[in-house]
Amino acid sequence: LLQEHARASGCDSAVWTLADGHPVLAAGSRGGLPVPPLPPSGSAPVDTPGGRLRLEPVRGLSDTWLAAGPLRAGGDGGDDADVTLAAQARFLGAMIARVVGATVGAEQAAHELGERYEEINLLYSISETLGSAVSLERNARTILVEVSETVSAARAAIYLHERSTGTLQA
């Protein structure tokens, strides 16, 4: 994304994160981009030895920000260049936030799908156990082990209602 944007716009960019209090390059449109200061609290222009950058926090990711610039194509570095650089930074910041959001959403969906798969397998295993109809105690023990493993329980019990006494019996 960053490389394609740089080719199309002439605006280099990089995503930075903090590791042990120091900026670490996560991704960039090209090597040799100047290291920006620590994450800004909001969008801000910054002059570096390599040129003027625009910093933009990446929404949804703490201690992660985008540095856009310096502009390679045209401009004298005046007000028009600052406006263009700010627009590029806002655009890329929004795109990165969406990509990250989509990635997190896909990971959550995959995790939930895995959990549902385990539940379906558990139901299938229970139906096979009940279909074998060996004995109530043996079926109960098998089902208890299957459920315990699926939900990662260290201890489990099945209680049956005793009609004559009105109590539950393990």
Side-chain angles (χ1 to χ4, degrees):
L1 174 72
L2 299 179
Q3 290 174 348
E4 290 302 320
H5 179 264
R7 274 190 216 107
S9 69
C11 180
D12 285 313
S13 57
V15 176
W16 296 84
T17 60
L18 280 184
D20 298 324
H22 301 289
V24 175
L25 180 66
S29 60
R30 68 177 175 98
L33 288 172
V35 177
L38 295 179
S41 58
S43 185
V46 175
D47 289 317
T48 70
R52 180 164 270 202
L53 302 178
R54 187 77 182 196
L55 303 182
E56 186 80 27
V58 177
R59 290 186 314 266
L61 294 177
S62 61
D63 295 330
T64 303
W65 69 104
L66 172 86
L71 290 174
R72 292 189 311 248
D76 59 0
D79 291 340
D80 288 344
D82 283 341
V83 170
T84 300
L85 195 53
Q88 298 292 335
R90 280 192 306 274
F91 170 77
L92 282 172
M95 290 300 294
I96 290 167
R98 286 184 183 203
V99 167
V100 168
T103 301
V104 168
E107 288 173 358
Q108 289 173 342
H111 178 73
E112 189 170 323
L113 184 60
E115 288 179 348
R116 296 302 157 258
Y117 178 77
E118 286 181 7
E119 291 170 1
I120 290 169
N121 272 344
L122 174 61
L123 292 173
Y124 178 75
S125 176
I126 289 171
S127 68
E128 279 188 327
T129 300
L130 293 174
S132 67
V134 175
S135 74
L136 177 61
E137 282 187 11
R138 186 170 173 186
N139 284 350
R141 189 175 301 115
T142 301
I143 289 170
L144 190 60
V145 168
E146 294 283 340
V147 170
S148 298
E149 288 175 358
T150 300
V151 299
S152 301
R155 303 181 88 190
I158 293 178
Y159 289 89
L160 297 175
H161 181 253
E162 184 66 45
R163 286 186 186 168
S164 61
T165 62
T167 61
L168 295 175
Q169 300 296 319

